[in-house]
Amino acid sequence: MPASGPTHPFTLPTPMFAVRQDSADSLLRAPRNVAVIMDGNGRWAKARLRPRAEGHRQGVKALHRLVERAAELGVEVLTVFAFSSENWKRPATEVRLLMELFAQGLARWEAPLREAGVRLTVIGDRSAFPESVVRAIEACERGTAGGERMLLQIAANYGGRWDVCQAARRCAEAGEEVSPENLEKYLATAGTGEVDLLIRTGGEQRVSNFLLWQMAYAEIYFTETLWPDFNEASFDEAVRWYQGRERRFGMTSEQVRAASSLPGL
């Protein structure tokens, strides 16, 4: 990435995360662990005869809305797919723009996230990122390390196959048996648990190499809404859909109902 100034006319505003402490809808019980494939920025811009850069800029605003609402509803872990390992195949100008927006966004979000009690981490292979992006990642992670309200994981240069392979390699290097229990300790998301709900915007119905191990039992919600148009009501709708699902984990419906009726469940 050249060291010259920005190649696009847009700058990201510094967000204010107005996470209300007592605003959780009593009828909405958000899942603990939510993942989102944020798809549709380019199509949103094309439909409005605007440059793709504007679609990405509006996508950042949609992420701002999601972080606020997820924290309000009690989500503990929110993982969003910002840049896949396959996205390097896009035009060089768009990749450069995305890198600039990523670094700029991390810098501007650090203080508001810290004030809202949200800890940010970036998962993925950082070796291909420009040094400016790596510095921005490290600074934002340090600055928000004390957040306890919610963990926001940004998946960047991430792929599910890469994650499993690097975990297996590290497990073997440690001299441990490559078992499911040991492998999980070395995943990029180690310690955060399995995904309960995956949301994909933009109308596509595939998981695109995202969190393949972690989504083994996830409920998957697809919506036609393009990512820049995804708002608080959109997220609430996904949560209500999730609430209507019966999560059996290999059991029968009768077993699930019997287990849920036990004291303390």
Side-chain angles (χ1 to χ4, degrees):
M1 181 171 144
S4 58
T7 58
H8 59 89
F10 303 114
T11 57
L12 297 175
T14 299
M16 297 299 293
F17 288 93
V19 178
R20 293 164 290 182
Q21 300 294 322
D22 57 354
S23 64
D25 188 329
S26 60
L27 299 179
L28 284 181
R29 186 182 61 207
R32 174 188 171 276
N33 192 320
V34 176
V36 182
I37 299 176
M38 308 179 293
D39 192 19
N41 290 348
R43 282 173 287 153
W44 183 93
K46 183 177 181 180
R48 291 161 177 76
L49 303 179
R50 298 184 186 180
R52 290 179 67 86
E54 178 62 14
H56 293 309
R57 181 172 179 267
Q58 294 299 323
V60 174
K61 292 183 178 181
L63 178 56
H64 179 192
R65 295 192 295 267
L66 173 65
V67 171
E68 280 191 343
R69 188 55 176 160
E72 287 176 354
L73 293 184
V75 172
E76 295 179 21
V77 181
L78 175 64
T79 309
V80 296
F81 210 3
F83 190 85
S84 76
S85 51
E86 288 80 21
N87 285 155
W88 294 106
K89 301 172 185 176
R90 293 189 176 190
T93 53
E94 182 173 355
V95 171
R96 186 162 56 246
L97 166 68
L98 290 170
M99 293 298 103
E100 292 175 0
L101 289 177
F102 190 27
Q104 185 184 133
L106 288 168
R108 291 176 181 263
W109 280 37
E110 179 187 336
L113 286 174
R114 181 173 60 249
E115 293 168 4
V118 177
R119 177 165 67 96
L120 181 143
T121 63
V122 175
I123 60 172
D125 182 2
R126 303 182 187 184
S127 64
F129 286 141
E131 185 179 345
S132 59
V133 172
V134 175
R135 288 198 304 267
I137 291 172
E138 294 173 347
C140 194
E141 288 182 335
R142 286 195 305 270
T144 63
E148 297 182 351
R149 185 183 181 106
M150 186 175 76
L151 170 63
L152 171 61
Q153 297 184 128
I154 307 290
N157 197 26
Y158 176 90
R161 291 174 177 172
W162 164 85
D163 197 3
V164 173
C165 287
Q166 66 85 26
R169 184 182 64 252
R170 292 173 61 197
C171 188
E173 289 173 349
E176 300 180 16
E177 177 189 1
V178 182
S179 65
E181 295 75 20
N182 288 336
L183 198 67
E184 286 181 354
K185 297 187 299 184
Y186 296 101
L187 292 171
T189 57
T192 63
E194 296 187 350
V195 173
D196 298 307
L197 170 64
L198 168 70
I199 300 170
R200 178 165 188 151
T201 66
E204 301 292 351
Q205 298 189 8
R206 54 179 178 269
V207 297
S208 296
N209 194 24
F210 183 42
L211 299 176
L212 298 179
W213 181 282
Q214 298 87 337
M215 292 195 303
Y217 285 98
E219 302 295 329
I220 304 178
Y221 177 84
F222 298 113
T223 174
E224 296 289 331
T225 303
L226 298 176
W227 177 245
D229 291 327
F230 195 85
N231 57 26
E232 296 87 346
S234 307
F235 183 65
D236 289 358
E237 182 179 346
V239 170
R240 290 189 181 94
W241 175 88
Y242 173 85
Q243 289 178 333
R245 300 292 298 167
E246 181 181 71
R247 307 193 75 201
R248 295 195 295 271
F249 299 100
M251 296 187 292
T252 65
S253 295
E254 291 75 16
Q255 287 176 308
V256 171
R257 286 194 289 270
S260 65
S261 65
L262 295 176
L265 294 181

